[in-house]
Amino acid sequence: LLELRRVGNERLKQVSLSLGRGEILGVAGLEGSAKDEIARVIYGLSPIQEGRMLRLGRPFAPADPLQAIRGGVGMVPTDRKNAGLVTCRSVAENIILSAINKAGRFLVAPAWVRRVAQANIRRLGIRTSGTGQLVEYLSGGNQQKALLARCLFTSPRVLLLDEPTRGIDLAARADMYAELHQLSAEGFGVLLASSDMSEVLTQCHRILVF
C-alpha cells in the first residue's frame, strides 16, 4: 500500500519502510525521537528533501493533507483537541467535516448528516446523547472515537495513528484496539506511532524502533 525509500528532511535521515494490506506497523520511540515525523511526512504536513514515497507502486508526494486524503490516506493526530476536532461543533459535523464533498453539493441535507453520523456512532460505539451533542462535552475516549470516525469517513486505505490512545480510559482503549484489528482484517494498512511500548508490542504485526 505504501513505501518510503530513503526519505529524509530536517528531522529524518533516509528512512525506508513499507506498509502492506492488512498490516498494523508500529513506529516506536520516545518523545523527541522523530517517530511522529513519519506520519507528518506521509500526510503532507512536512516536506521531504530527499528520497521518495510510493502509494500502490506510484509516486506519492502530497503537498498538503487534502492531497493525502485524495490519495487514500487518513490521519489521527496526537493532539485531538487542537489539531483534530472542532470542539465547538457537534459530533455529526465533526464526522463529516473532512469529506463534505461526498454529498455531491455545496449544501447538505440535515437528514443525510444525521444518517451518516448515526452509522459511524454505532460502528465505533461513541457514547453521546445524540448526533447534535457538542464534541467538547464528550469524554476523551469518545472524542478520540469521533476523530477516528471522521478519518474513516474520508474512505482511506492507509491510516496513520499518532499516539491514538493517549489520555483515554482502558475501556475506550480496548474499543480502539478492537477497531484497529477489524480495519486490519478489512485490508487497511495501519501505521501506529506510539511511545507506549506495551501498546506496540501487543497490537502491531511489525515494529520499527526510532
Side-chain angles (χ1 to χ4, degrees), residues 101-120:
N101 60 331
K102 281 196 170 189
R105 64 188 105 180
F106 290 107
L107 298 176
V108 296
W112 175 83
V113 174
R114 286 194 300 272
R115 185 168 63 252
V116 167
Q118 287 168 352
N120 283 275

Side-chain angles (χ1 to χ4, degrees), residues 181-196:
H181 285 282
Q182 178 59 40
L183 292 170
S184 172
E186 294 173 10
F188 283 69
V190 180
L191 188 147
L192 172 60
S194 178
S195 56
D196 184 340

Side-chain angles (χ1 to χ4, degrees), residues 41-44 55 60 62-74 160:
V41 162
I42 298 170
Y43 202 55
R55 169 87 172 90
F60 179 67
D64 53 45
L66 181 58
Q67 290 187 11
I69 290 171
R70 289 173 174 168
V73 176
L160 311 172

Side-chain angles (χ1 to χ4, degrees), residues 15 29 51 60 75 81 132 175 178 194 202:
V15 173
F60 179 67
M75 180 176 175
K81 290 186 177 180
D175 289 343
S194 178
T202 58

Side-chain angles (χ1 to χ4, degrees), residues 79-142:
D79 189 346
R80 60 178 173 268
K81 290 186 177 180
N82 294 313
L85 297 166
V86 182
T87 56
C88 62
R89 294 291 184 175
S90 69
V91 175
E93 288 173 303
N94 273 275
I95 288 174
I96 69 167
L97 188 61
S98 294
I100 194 73
N101 60 331
K102 281 196 170 189
R105 64 188 105 180
F106 290 107
L107 298 176
V108 296
W112 175 83
V113 174
R114 286 194 300 272
R115 185 168 63 252
V116 167
Q118 287 168 352
N120 283 275
I121 287 169
R122 285 194 298 270
R123 169 168 182 166
L124 291 171
I126 302 172
R127 295 185 179 181
T128 173
S129 62
T131 59
Q133 183 175 3
L134 297 183
V135 165
E136 65 181 311
Y137 297 123
L138 298 180
S139 68
N142 286 298

Side-chain angles (χ1 to χ4, degrees), residues 14-74:
Q14 297 187 341
V15 173
S16 298
L17 62 84
S18 62
L19 177 65
R21 297 180 190 275
E23 181 178 29
I24 302 177
L25 176 64
V27 178
L30 300 176
E31 292 297 323
S33 65
K35 62 163 179 60
D36 57 324
E37 185 71 4
I38 292 291
R40 291 179 57 82
V41 162
I42 298 170
Y43 202 55
L45 289 168
S46 292
I48 62 174
Q49 298 168 347
E50 60 180 328
R52 62 175 180 156
M53 294 189 290
L54 302 175
R55 169 87 172 90
L56 296 175
R58 297 179 180 178
F60 179 67
D64 53 45
L66 181 58
Q67 290 187 11
I69 290 171
R70 289 173 174 168
V73 176

